[in-house]
Amino acid sequence: MQNNTDENFNEDFERLMKQFLSEEYKDVKLDDMQTEDEEDSFLEDEDVDEDVDEYEAEDNTPTEKADDICTDNPLPGDVIEQNQNVRVKVEILRPIDNPQEELQKLVGCGNIKKRMDELVALTAYNRMLHEQFPELKQHRVSLHSVFLGNPGTGKTTVCKIFGALLHEAGALSKGHVVICDRGTFIGTLWGDEERAMKQVVEMAQGGVLMIDEAYLLNGKNENDPGKIIVQLLMNLLADESQRDIAVVLCGYKEPMNELLETNPGLLSRFPNRFEFADFSVDELLEITSRRIEEYSYRFTVKAWQKYTDMIALAFSARDTETWGNARFIANQLERIYIQHATRCVKQPPKNHNDLLLITPEDIVPIEMPRRKNRIGFGV
């Protein structure tokens, strides 16, 4: 009976693959591949959205709480006008539900979790104290923070959690995250920087303004427009009316320290320092396991051994200037998925369970990135 089932599966699989390659697959349902004996055993169709820039898959679908926020305090548009001829799109991340749960689920990041909990606890305590004793002087809690670390260490993911945590604590009215970089502010005409800053700050009201690769604002040239952005940022931080916003500067540790040291006032206004360490080999393998589970893939014993040996070798030979951490894992898994799919098309599996089985043939050689200039033009 099993042999007949597998033969039927092979025929159906080949037929569907031909339809897929001829762009007719969109009209075919997975149910067409099931036999009567396999009706309840075939794959479930899952919709998983993966963020390749960070190590955790993120669900950007608004939750019930996020829906409430968007209804009462609609999120802003995502385009700013530097001038009449130049428009720049800005990424806006909606607040998430259960941010504390998401924080604790992160792989590694023990120190980050502890520091984040402390800051949020102080913020919540300050609010509670004010409600019970409004006449007492409140603690001055600065939400502005610096996230230091290499690519793929989770800075954007944690920033999204950070905004939602501060919203739950009552420190921010919305909790969304507005992601910017040097290109968001630097325009082509005089005054573009100030116009861009005003619009971005308005977008981020009630949430987090995240400036990625903020060290790029530290231009070596005295006339570099990045210096204007730094001064405008200082003006924002000095404005006591701008309390419903948290500014987070992100980037590599050394150049970020250089940026902060160029202006003592800037350093003092970012008291919250979060350092994101590179993931260990064990943590990278844990990230791998979580990612493949999202798609219900499984490694054979030999495939997993081959994969772990390659990751350990790549980690030992890594260049700290270019190592991508979880982003490296995401890219490597993408290549494995492609190799696996290609093999299944060329050599249809004997049964449907093998469609989810990663074999040693699917583990492709790792391509190590070369060192590159991370500072860029004008600095």
Side-chain angles (χ1 to χ4, degrees):
M1 181 66 181
Q2 180 62 40
N3 290 337
N4 292 336
T5 298
D6 290 341
E7 290 177 1
N8 292 336
F9 172 79
N10 288 337
E11 293 177 359
D12 290 340
F13 182 81
E14 292 178 3
R15 173 175 57 82
L16 288 174
M17 275 301 171
K18 290 179 180 179
Q19 291 176 324
F20 176 82
L21 296 175
S22 63
E23 299 185 351
E24 296 178 3
Y25 186 79
K26 60 184 179 180
D27 296 324
V28 180
K29 298 181 179 179
L30 287 176
D31 292 339
D32 292 337
M33 296 181 66
Q34 297 175 329
T35 64
E36 293 181 359
D37 294 334
E38 297 173 323
E39 183 175 358
D40 297 325
S41 62
F42 200 70
L43 308 178
E44 292 182 0
D45 185 16
E46 296 184 358
D47 182 15
V48 179
D49 183 20
E50 181 179 24
D51 177 6
V52 298
D53 289 335
E54 300 296 346
Y55 62 90
E56 296 271 54
E58 296 181 342
D59 182 7
N60 291 326
T61 303
T63 62
E64 181 179 353
K65 184 173 296 183
D67 286 338
D68 293 340
I69 294 172
C70 295
T71 300
D72 300 334
N73 300 293
L75 296 183
D78 60 357
V79 176
I80 67 169
E81 295 185 2
Q82 291 180 346
N83 55 60
Q84 293 181 347
N85 300 318
V86 180
R87 293 162 61 88
V88 179
K89 189 168 184 178
V90 176
E91 185 177 5
I92 299 179
L93 305 179
R94 291 191 172 191
I96 60 175
D97 202 2
N98 300 319
Q100 185 60 239
E101 179 181 338
E102 294 301 317
L103 179 65
Q104 298 308 318
K105 283 167 53 178
L106 296 179
V107 175
C109 301
N111 184 57
I112 300 295
K113 296 174 184 177
K114 181 176 182 295
R115 291 281 294 110
M116 196 73 68
D117 283 340
E118 291 172 348
L119 179 58
V120 172
L122 179 58
T123 303
Y125 170 79
N126 203 41
R127 181 189 181 192
M128 180 173 60
L129 195 66
H130 177 67
E131 291 175 350
Q132 297 297 322
F133 306 98
E135 71 282 0
L136 294 183
K137 182 179 179 179
Q138 297 185 55
H139 295 284
R140 291 186 62 88
V141 182
S142 175
L143 305 179
H144 308 312
S145 307
V146 180
F147 285 9
L148 307 175
N150 291 328
T153 48
K155 296 186 294 296
T156 301
T157 299
V158 172
C159 197
K160 185 176 181 179
I161 294 173
F162 187 43
L165 284 172
L166 291 176
H167 170 69
E168 282 196 347
L172 296 176
S173 60
K174 294 183 179 180
H176 63 296
V177 179
V178 177
I179 302 179
C180 304
D181 56 21
R182 176 185 170 97
T184 306
F185 304 103
I186 306 301
T188 58
L189 301 176
W190 179 264
D192 282 353
E193 292 77 22
E194 185 172 3
R195 283 188 290 270
M197 177 63 76
K198 287 181 178 179
Q199 292 174 72
V200 166
V201 170
E202 183 177 352
M203 283 181 177
Q205 285 298 315
V208 176
L209 171 57
M210 172 182 167
I211 303 181
D212 198 17
E213 297 184 312
Y215 55 84
L216 292 177
L217 300 176
N218 186 26
K220 302 303 181 184
N221 189 322
E222 282 191 21
N223 297 320
D224 187 276
K227 296 185 180 296
I228 300 176
I229 302 303
V230 173
Q231 186 56 52
L232 291 172
L233 186 61
M234 286 289 295
N235 296 340
L236 164 67
L237 300 177
D239 187 354
E240 289 297 324
S241 66
Q242 299 287 353
R243 306 295 295 175
D244 193 17
I245 186 173
V247 180
V248 175
L249 304 182
C250 298
Y252 294 95
K253 182 177 180 179
E254 292 181 7
M256 284 296 298
N257 284 334
E258 292 177 6
L259 168 65
L260 296 173
E261 290 171 0
T262 60
N263 192 319
L266 188 63
L267 179 61
S268 65
R269 293 184 184 278
F270 285 86
N272 306 307
R273 184 184 180 95
F274 298 89
E275 296 195 21
F276 293 71
D278 286 348
F279 292 109
S280 67
V281 172
D282 287 342
E283 289 170 341
L284 292 173
L285 295 178
E286 173 63 23
I287 291 168
T288 298
S289 296
R290 293 191 183 189
R291 283 185 175 271
I292 66 171
E293 284 177 3
E294 294 170 0
Y295 297 98
S296 298
Y297 283 119
R298 293 175 292 110
F299 279 83
T300 65
V301 174
K302 290 184 178 180
W304 181 248
Q305 186 61 54
K306 181 179 179 180
Y307 177 82
T308 56
D309 289 344
M310 290 178 63
I311 295 299
L313 181 61
F315 183 84
S316 64
R318 74 191 187 284
D319 181 348
T320 56
E321 297 291 321
T322 57
W323 180 246
N325 287 284
R327 191 177 304 175
F328 177 84
I329 294 296
N331 292 338
Q332 188 62 23
L333 286 178
E334 192 66 26
R335 298 177 68 222
I336 290 175
Y337 297 154
I338 293 174
Q339 179 69 15
H340 173 73
T342 302
R343 178 176 61 81
C344 288
V345 170
K346 292 182 178 179
Q347 300 175 350
K350 296 181 179 180
N351 62 72
H352 65 264
N353 289 324
D354 288 346
L355 282 172
L356 300 174
L357 199 61
I358 303 296
T359 68
E361 299 174 75
D362 303 326
I363 311 300
V364 295
I366 288 180
E367 295 182 359
M368 297 295 290
R370 298 179 179 178
R371 177 175 296 201
K372 61 182 179 180
N373 185 352
R374 71 186 182 195
I375 300 301
F377 175 79
V379 293

